[in-house]
Amino acid sequence: MTLDAEAKMQFLFALRSRGVMDKRVLEAMEKIDRGAFVKGLFAERAYEDMPLPIACGQTISQPSIVGLMTQALQVDPRHKVLEIGTGSGYQAAILSQLARRVYTMDRHKRLVTEAQAVFDALDLANITAIASDGTRGLPEQAPFDRILITAAAEDPPGPLLAELKVGGIMVVPVGQSDAVQALIKVTRTETGFDYDELRQVRFVPLVEGMGAD
Ligand code: SAH
């Protein structure tokens, strides 16, 4: 077995052993090469189950957390999904395999430009990356079947809750930055919102306004 094939097998084993069981999610994570989203020195560590630094002082999330969040989102092929926090673009690429359409937003233009270049290179034509403050939502494409926030909010932002369809699901890490955060699954019902706490996580903070680059 080549080193690459072995690294990939270990990658998938780590996902399963940490609770990523959904067949479609595992298939998407087998297909999308995380190495394409990690640049420079860290590229060779792309198949380890670790968060890694990317540009603008941000991080690409740990693969098992990407898997667990994606699994919790219960995406189906008819869904229109919004992600806040494009970062490297890896999470959006996984979502693109499961959904009809993916919109992903980041407050750093540079991350959006770099992620879009990877989407183009991999022919992931159902993703649109937008440089904008995601806390304000994306009114021109709302409502969404699913919303995934990959930065920690103090509370789920109101404009995003308002853009969730009835029956829709939002997954969001909630808590003060750097402290322990709880990953929350919010389901919109006819009359309000149901909240489910999934596990503890640690994400970079959701910050209002645009980044400097
Ligand atoms: N999902 C990414 C990792 C996200 S890291 C991946 O797969 O690589 C969190 C990202 O959220 C950072 O890139 C940060 O710039 C972005 N972010 C923080 N606050 C934001 C906001 N208000 N609007 C949009 N993006 C935001």
Side-chain angles (χ1 to χ4, degrees):
M1 191 159 43
T2 66
L3 197 61
D4 276 4
E6 195 173 321
K8 194 148 211 179
M9 242 184 66
Q10 278 176 8
F11 179 79
L12 291 167
F13 180 78
L15 293 176
R16 283 201 189 85
S17 68
R18 296 197 160 103
V20 184
M21 297 296 174
D22 186 292
K23 192 165 158 278
R24 291 180 69 234
V25 174
L26 286 166
E27 276 169 9
M29 293 186 78
E30 181 169 5
K31 185 163 164 219
I32 298 291
D33 179 7
R34 189 170 182 250
F37 296 87
V38 182
K39 297 186 171 63
L41 278 177
F42 293 101
E44 62 195 44
R45 309 193 64 176
Y47 308 105
E48 294 175 28
D49 191 26
M50 292 212 330
L52 293 170
I54 56 172
C56 304
Q58 306 301 317
T59 51
I60 176 172
S61 313
Q62 187 177 346
S64 57
I65 296 294
V66 170
L68 290 169
M69 287 174 96
T70 309
Q71 184 167 280
L73 208 59
Q74 298 172 260
V75 181
D76 96 23
R78 290 161 305 180
H79 284 164
K80 182 164 71 166
V81 181
L82 175 65
E83 180 199 21
I84 308 300
T86 310
S88 67
Y90 179 62
Q91 171 74 72
I94 301 297
L95 292 169
S96 78
Q97 302 301 295
L98 304 169
R100 175 172 58 84
R101 200 83 189 70
V102 178
Y103 294 90
T104 181
M105 299 167 82
D106 206 288
R107 62 190 289 276
H108 288 288
K109 281 203 189 85
R110 173 175 169 192
L111 293 175
V112 167
T113 307
E114 290 181 4
Q116 186 65 60
V118 183
F119 301 149
D120 293 345
L122 299 180
D123 252 331
L124 303 175
N126 64 339
I127 312 177
T128 304
I130 301 157
S132 182
D133 175 3
T135 59
R136 294 156 177 245
L138 187 59
E140 54 282 25
Q141 298 300 339
F144 298 96
D145 300 285
R146 299 289 185 262
I147 299 179
L148 179 59
I149 306 183
T150 61
E154 283 186 28
D155 292 299
L160 292 170
L161 288 173
E163 291 184 355
L164 197 56
K165 282 188 193 170
V166 172
I169 296 173
M170 173 190 289
V171 172
V172 52
V174 171
Q176 305 288 344
S177 65
D178 273 10
V180 182
Q181 303 150 3
L183 189 64
I184 307 282
K185 176 177 166 181
V186 184
T187 309
R188 183 163 198 170
T189 65
E190 294 282 352
T191 51
F193 296 93
D194 284 344
Y195 294 85
D196 247 330
E197 195 170 318
L198 301 178
R199 56 174 290 134
Q200 292 191 343
V201 285
R202 196 165 175 175
F203 275 83
V204 298
L206 189 71
V207 179
E208 285 188 29
M210 288 301 285
D213 54 355

